[in-house]
């Protein structure tokens, strides 16, 4: 034994030296598209390297921060480095705990990457290490063997447990050297190895009543491991026949939803002995405690019953070792295999592994937006699951591997139509009845600048009255952008327009309000157009353009302008009164003209438009108001009656031209008319009129003021002279004059007009001819030659008719008549 222990220790030390590097070696291979496999030994320390996962996925270290490599698993046995992308062990790996008695053991999980979202399946195979020694369930076996038992008799000892698999599992049994017994290794149909004690030499109770031996179980590891149990054999008196089971192996099936107390099956054994040696009792032999919790056997009947609910997903089958013992201590064994039948009692489980939300709306069709994992713990058809998406959304589901699904975009997304999509993942199994489960998936769609601003109107029209204030609002344009955030924030500016229109208006960048930069003038610009561009804040930005047409409305801000005869009169007045000046405009009308004779036409224009430019003409002043009339709309000056000899040769007609604005504006036109049969006859009148041409308005004002002062002085002097004479002469001569006889001499006549050039203004003074003869104070001076210019410039006083001058007995004119001042002082 000592030699065997030393050899075992040497093999164990040699195995550690040889196998340790092999355990640290990682076997990495890529089996299929998007599937990576590694193999590592169990019991590696935490932080041990599994493999270069990022490199095997085709990712460089520079890509790792953006791709966000991570693992998805229900239980994280591994971790991935964010810097190098290597896969490391994060927890203790015990193959026996993870996979039990399964010959192969592996851990599968998904490696997820972002930008774009994708999933890779990784499988790590856990290789067995001989880290478990064989172990007997019972450390001590009690056997009673009759002394008459013949050599070759076999006694079942059970089997040892070794969680390891393969060559590291249980390989055989060894028995301590003795004179009576040896151990043989038997292999059952399921491959398990159990020990049988074989009697080689007859026992003699009288010489040895009990035998104590050590049973050793040995595995095939390098170095091998072993476990021991004590055999206590009592030699008894003869019991010739042991119990015999009807079958060496029993099989039964039981649904997992069978209630506790249900009968599994009955085992039966018989004994050829009689009496107490033939009385058989049943019980469980070397059976794990987990099995003993589930089943119970009735000692007398051999009926096996269920005492605790089964779960197919936990354990799919049980092996029971039942023994039958007779009254003499002989024991027989049989195996009972209980198969647990699956019932569709588990609904599919949906696990949302990853969701890439929000997703840009320009993501192409087929973009992975979510990863799902679906599992059904049932088996067969009860565990077969199919998934679908419920809900109206441009999404579809694609199976990537067994139990794993990808949710991808089925068509283009449009955030403006739907900013988020809500779908329900429905998983159903194929059991009867079918079970299902649901999971909600919400996918937000992020905005992309795929919409240009759109104006509410393609063209805007604004109407602004002229003479507006600078900065006055003109119109407000508005564009809407269906995008969100900065992509939907619209700003405005001018982007051209008609020639010269840019300085007229400006646009506020945020509100789109268009303001006038200056006052508009209808007469200079009646309409103009500008282009307003709306641009969003996206990158790259998008824009659109609208046309704003501004119509300037007319206001009555222009008075009518007289083209004729005002232009000629103004030219004459500006030239002064020199000898070389031309006479003012005049019209010659023959004295034989009848009513309706066209004298002239006032021509006027108005720079305004519409009603503001509709002109009408009226006669406001004339030397003979009844002689002329003016056409209301034509401006034609015509004679209202026939011209007579009594009409003065010089006529002045003043017409007003008015528009129809609110308020109305007007201008006046003066037309000079000479009544003569021909131009030669009118020349004297024209010469006199030219000399007395109107002076500028300012000079006229001062002259009128001087005339008023001179008139006041003249009247005061006359009053003082009359008072002084009355005081000297007694009765006033006026009374005597009043008492004188009135007469009218047939040859009397008005004295000729005369002018004195001492004053710039002259007066027309009319004196009665009788008074001039009686008093003798006014002698008719010689008649001077009066120029035609002064004749045209002087306004006629009231000229007496022939009948009034020739009539007898009419009273003379007592007081002088002061007429309207003119440029010359004329007396009649």
């Amino acid at each position: 034994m000592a030699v065997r222990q030393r050899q075992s220790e040497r093999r164990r030390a040699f195995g550690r030296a040889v196998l340790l590097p092999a355990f640290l070696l990682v076997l990495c291979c890529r089996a299929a598209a998007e599937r990576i496999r590694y193999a590592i030994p169990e019991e590696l320390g935490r932080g041990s390297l599994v493999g270069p996962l990022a490199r095997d996925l085709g990712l460089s270290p520079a890509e790792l921060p953006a791709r966000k490599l991570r693992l998805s698993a229900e239980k994280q046995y591994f971790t991935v480095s964010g810097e190098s992308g290597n896969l490391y062990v994060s927890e203790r790996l015990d193959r026996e705990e993870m996979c039990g008695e399964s010959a192969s053991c592996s851990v599968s999980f998904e490696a997820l990457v972002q930008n774009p979202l994708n999933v890779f399946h990784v499988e790590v195979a856990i290789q067995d290490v001989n880290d478990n020694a064989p172990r007997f369930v019972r450390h001590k076996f009690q056997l009673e063997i009759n002394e008459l038992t013949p050599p070759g008799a076999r006694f079942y000892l059970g089997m040892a447990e070794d969680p390891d698999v393969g060559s590291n599992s249980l390989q055989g049994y060894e028995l301590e050297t003795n004179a009576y017994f040896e151990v043989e290794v038997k292999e059952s149909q399921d491959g398990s190895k159990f020990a049988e004690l074989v009697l080689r030499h007859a026992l003699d109770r009288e010489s040895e009543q009990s035998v104590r031996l050590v049973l050793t179980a040995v595995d095939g590891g390098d170095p091998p491991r072993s476990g021991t149990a004590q055999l206590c054999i009592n030699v008894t008196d003869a019991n010739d026949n042991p119990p015999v089971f009807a079958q060496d192996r029993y099989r039964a099936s039981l649904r997992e939803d069978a209630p506790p107390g249900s009968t599994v099956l009955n085992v039966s054994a018989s004994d050829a002995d009689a009496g107490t040696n033939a009385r058989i009792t049943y019980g469980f032999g070397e059976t794990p405690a987990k099995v003993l919790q589930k089943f119970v056997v009735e000692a007398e009947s051999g009926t096996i019953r269920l005492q605790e609910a089964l779960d197919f997903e936990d354990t799919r089958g049980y092996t029971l070792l039942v023994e039958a013992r007779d009254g003499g201590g002989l024991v027989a064994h049989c195996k009972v295999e209980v198969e647990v039948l699956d019932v569709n009692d588990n609904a599919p489980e949906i696990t949302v592994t990853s969701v890439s939300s929000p997703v840009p709306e320009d993501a192409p069709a087929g973009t992975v937006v979510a990863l799902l994992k679906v599992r059904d713990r049932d088996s067969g058809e009860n565990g077969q699951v199919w998934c679908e998406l419920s809900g109206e959304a441009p999404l579809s589901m694609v199976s990537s591997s067994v139990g794993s699904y990808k949710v991808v975009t089925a068509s283009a997304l449009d955030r403006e139509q739907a900013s988020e999509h809500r779908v329900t993942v429905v998983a159903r199994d194929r059991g009867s009845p079918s079970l299902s489960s649901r999971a909600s998936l919400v996918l937000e769609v992020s905005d992309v600048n795929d919409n240009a601003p759109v104006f509410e109107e393609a063209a805007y029209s604004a109407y602004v009255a002229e003479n507006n204030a600078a900065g006055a609002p003109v119109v407000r344009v508005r564009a809407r952008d269906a995008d969100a955030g900065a992509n939907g924030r619209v700003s405005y500016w001018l982007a051209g327009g008609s020639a010269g229109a840019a300085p007229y208006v400006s646009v506020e960048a945020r509100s789109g309000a268009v303001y006038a930069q200056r006052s508009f003038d209808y007469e200079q610009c009646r309409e103009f157009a500008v282009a307003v561009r709306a641009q969003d804040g996206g990158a790259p930005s998008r824009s659109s353009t609208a046309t704003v047409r501004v119509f300037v409305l007319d206001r009555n801000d222009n008075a009518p302008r007289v083209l004729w005869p005002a232009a000629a009169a103004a030219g004459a007045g500006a030239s002064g009164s020199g000898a070389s000046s031309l006479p003012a405009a005049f019209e010659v009308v023959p004295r034989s003209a009848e009513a309706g004779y066209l004298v002239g036409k006032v021509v006027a224009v108005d720079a305004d438009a519409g009603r503001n430019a509709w002109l009408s003409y009226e006669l406001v002043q004339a030397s003979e108001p009844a002689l002329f009339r003016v056409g209301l709309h034509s401006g034609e000056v015509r004679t209202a009656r026939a011209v007579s000899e009594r009409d003065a040769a010089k006529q002045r007609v003043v017409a007003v031209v008015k528009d129809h604005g609110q308020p109305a504006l007007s201008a006046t036109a003066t037309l000079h008319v000479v009544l003569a049969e021909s131009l030669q006859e009118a020349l004297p009148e024209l010469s006199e009129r030219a000399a007395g041409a109107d002076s500028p308005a300012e000079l006229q004002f001062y002259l009128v003021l001087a005339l008023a002062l001179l008139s006041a002085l003249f009247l005061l002097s006359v009053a003082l002279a009359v008072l002084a004479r009355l005081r000297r002469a007694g009765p006033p001569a006026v009374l005597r004059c009043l008492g004188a006889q009135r007469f009218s001499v047939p040859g009397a006549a008005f004295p000729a007009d005369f002018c004195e050039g001492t004053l710039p203004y002259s007066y027309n003074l009319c004196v009665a001819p009788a008074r001039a003869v009686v008093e003798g104070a006014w002698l008719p001076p010689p008649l001077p030659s009066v120029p035609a210019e002064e004749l045209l410039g002087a306004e006629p006083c009231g000229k007496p008719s022939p009948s009034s001058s020739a009539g007898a007995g009419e009273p003379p004119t007592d007081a002088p008549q002061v007429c309207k001042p003119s440029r010359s002082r004329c007396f009649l």
Side-chain angles (χ1 to χ4, degrees), residues 573-768:
S575 62
S577 58
S580 62
S581 63
L582 296 174
F586 67 93
E587 298 290 345
V588 178
V589 178
R591 288 189 176 272
S592 59
E594 298 296 331
Y597 180 83
L598 178 60
V599 178
K601 183 175 182 179
V602 178
V603 180
V605 293
D606 196 315
D608 296 322
R611 294 183 57 87
N612 297 329
W614 294 356
L615 301 180
S616 61
Y617 302 85
E618 296 179 11
L619 184 62
V620 296
Q621 185 181 358
S623 302
E624 291 289 342
L627 182 57
F628 302 100
R629 61 181 173 85
V630 179
L632 179 62
H633 300 295
S634 63
E636 294 179 348
V637 180
R638 295 180 180 272
T639 57
R641 59 175 175 82
V643 180
S644 66
E645 295 296 332
R646 293 175 297 176
D647 295 327
K650 297 175 294 181
Q651 299 290 335
R652 184 170 178 264
V653 179
V654 179
V656 64
V657 184
K658 295 192 298 183
D659 56 27
H660 286 70
Q662 293 293 334
L665 300 178
S666 63
T668 58
T670 303
L671 186 64
H672 298 279
V673 181
V674 176
L675 302 180
E677 291 297 336
S678 63
L679 182 60
Q680 289 77 10
E681 183 181 347
L683 287 178
E685 302 291 340
L686 293 176
S687 301
E688 181 181 353
R689 180 175 178 271
D694 292 339
S695 61
E698 184 178 1
L699 178 60
Q700 184 177 0
F701 170 75
Y702 291 111
L703 292 179
V704 171
L705 180 61
L707 178 60
L709 293 176
L710 291 176
S711 300
L713 292 175
F714 174 74
L715 294 176
L716 180 60
S717 301
V718 170
L720 292 177
V722 170
L723 290 176
R725 185 173 181 180
L726 290 176
R727 292 182 62 181
R728 289 196 306 268
V734 176
L735 296 178
R736 293 194 301 272
C737 179
L738 291 176
Q741 182 181 1
R742 298 178 183 178
F743 65 97
S744 175
V745 182
F750 284 92
D753 295 341
F754 67 94
C755 298
E756 294 180 359
T758 57
L759 292 177
Y761 279 81
S762 61
Y763 295 85
N764 296 333
L765 182 62
C766 300
V767 183

Side-chain angles (χ1 to χ4, degrees), residues 292-500:
L292 296 178
Q293 293 177 357
K294 298 288 185 182
F295 302 95
V296 63
V297 61
E298 294 180 359
E300 298 296 332
S301 64
T303 301
I304 300 175
R305 298 184 183 278
L306 180 68
Q307 68 175 359
E308 193 174 274
L310 301 176
D311 188 357
F312 173 84
E313 289 71 37
D314 183 24
T315 304
R316 300 190 176 190
Y318 297 89
T319 300
L320 309 178
L321 183 63
V322 181
E323 63 181 17
R325 185 182 297 270
D326 61 15
L330 295 181
V331 178
H333 296 84
C334 73
K335 282 189 176 182
V336 177
E337 295 179 355
V338 180
E339 180 185 4
V340 181
L341 301 179
D342 183 41
V343 175
N344 192 23
D345 58 345
N346 292 282
E349 299 175 359
I350 302 175
T351 303
V352 180
T353 306
S354 178
V355 177
S356 179
S357 180
V359 177
E361 61 177 325
D362 62 347
T367 301
V368 180
V369 297
L371 298 175
L372 307 176
K373 197 168 186 178
V374 181
R375 186 184 70 168
D376 195 320
R377 299 180 63 190
D378 296 323
S379 64
E381 289 188 352
N382 297 332
Q384 294 178 7
V385 181
W386 60 274
C387 294
E388 64 177 353
L389 292 179
S390 175
E392 296 294 332
L395 302 175
S396 62
M397 182 175 290
V398 179
S399 176
S400 59
S401 63
V402 178
S404 297
Y405 296 87
K406 295 180 182 180
V407 179
V408 299
T409 56
S411 59
L413 304 176
D414 190 350
R415 189 205 64 84
E416 289 70 37
Q417 293 184 359
S419 60
E420 69 175 17
H421 298 282
R422 294 180 178 269
V423 294
T424 302
V425 181
V426 181
R428 301 179 185 273
D429 59 26
R430 300 186 183 274
S432 180
S434 177
L435 299 179
S436 64
S437 59
R438 297 171 180 267
S440 297
L441 186 63
V442 179
L443 177 65
E444 296 181 355
V445 182
S446 62
D447 186 52
V448 174
N449 192 24
D450 57 345
N451 291 279
V454 178
F455 283 93
E456 293 179 350
E457 300 177 27
Y460 292 81
S461 297
Y463 298 88
V464 182
E466 65 174 330
N467 301 327
N468 58 290
V474 175
V475 71
R476 182 172 182 173
V477 298
R478 186 184 296 275
R480 300 185 183 276
D481 196 314
D483 295 323
N487 295 332
R489 191 179 302 118
V490 181
S491 57
Y492 306 87
W493 71 81
L494 296 180
S498 56

Side-chain angles (χ1 to χ4, degrees), residues 94-364:
D94 188 348
R95 196 205 67 83
E96 291 75 29
E97 180 182 342
M98 296 166 60
C99 303
E101 297 179 359
S102 176
S104 62
C105 182
S106 62
V107 177
S108 297
F109 53 90
E110 286 79 29
L112 306 177
V113 292
Q114 305 286 339
N115 304 318
L117 180 63
N118 204 351
V119 60
F120 299 90
H121 299 280
V122 181
E123 181 180 347
V124 180
I126 310 300
Q127 298 175 342
D128 184 49
V129 175
N130 191 23
D131 56 343
N132 293 281
R135 183 180 65 86
F136 288 97
V137 178
R138 292 189 302 178
H139 297 290
K140 190 173 184 180
F141 293 90
Q142 294 285 347
L143 297 178
E144 292 184 357
I145 301 177
N146 192 277
E147 63 178 339
L148 298 179
T149 302
R154 296 175 178 273
F155 303 91
Y156 179 80
L157 296 179
M159 61 181 180
E161 296 179 349
D162 192 336
D164 295 327
V165 295
S167 61
N168 295 325
S169 63
L170 178 67
Q171 299 296 320
Y173 299 91
E174 297 178 356
L175 185 64
E176 181 182 352
T177 304
N178 64 90
Y180 300 101
F181 299 95
E182 64 181 15
V183 66
E184 289 186 3
V185 179
K186 295 292 184 177
E187 186 172 350
S188 61
Q189 294 181 356
D190 60 358
S192 59
K193 296 180 175 64
F194 60 91
E196 281 189 352
L197 186 66
V198 181
L199 180 62
R200 294 301 181 187
H201 300 281
L203 297 174
D204 186 2
R205 183 178 182 277
E206 287 69 26
S207 62
E208 194 170 2
Q209 296 182 356
S210 64
V211 178
R212 294 183 179 274
L213 302 174
V214 176
L215 179 63
T216 303
V218 182
D219 62 20
D222 189 7
R225 290 177 177 267
S226 62
T228 60
Q230 294 292 328
L231 293 181
C232 296
I233 303 171
N234 294 325
V235 181
T236 63
D237 285 338
N239 181 14
D240 296 339
N241 297 291
V244 177
F245 279 98
Q247 301 178 23
D248 291 336
R249 184 182 299 272
Y250 291 85
R251 289 184 174 88
S253 298
L254 196 64
R255 288 168 57 93
E256 64 173 324
D257 59 350
S262 301
T263 300
V264 179
L265 56 77
N266 290 328
V267 295
S268 63
S270 61
D271 195 317
D273 293 328
T276 59
N277 291 333
R279 184 179 180 181
I280 299 175
T281 59
Y282 299 93
F284 287 123
E286 298 296 329
T287 304
K290 180 180 179 181
V291 178
L292 296 178
Q293 293 177 357
K294 298 288 185 182
F295 302 95
V296 63
V297 61
E298 294 180 359
E300 298 296 332
S301 64
T303 301
I304 300 175
R305 298 184 183 278
L306 180 68
Q307 68 175 359
E308 193 174 274
L310 301 176
D311 188 357
F312 173 84
E313 289 71 37
D314 183 24
T315 304
R316 300 190 176 190
Y318 297 89
T319 300
L320 309 178
L321 183 63
V322 181
E323 63 181 17
R325 185 182 297 270
D326 61 15
L330 295 181
V331 178
H333 296 84
C334 73
K335 282 189 176 182
V336 177
E337 295 179 355
V338 180
E339 180 185 4
V340 181
L341 301 179
D342 183 41
V343 175
N344 192 23
D345 58 345
N346 292 282
E349 299 175 359
I350 302 175
T351 303
V352 180
T353 306
S354 178
V355 177
S356 179
S357 180
V359 177
E361 61 177 325
D362 62 347

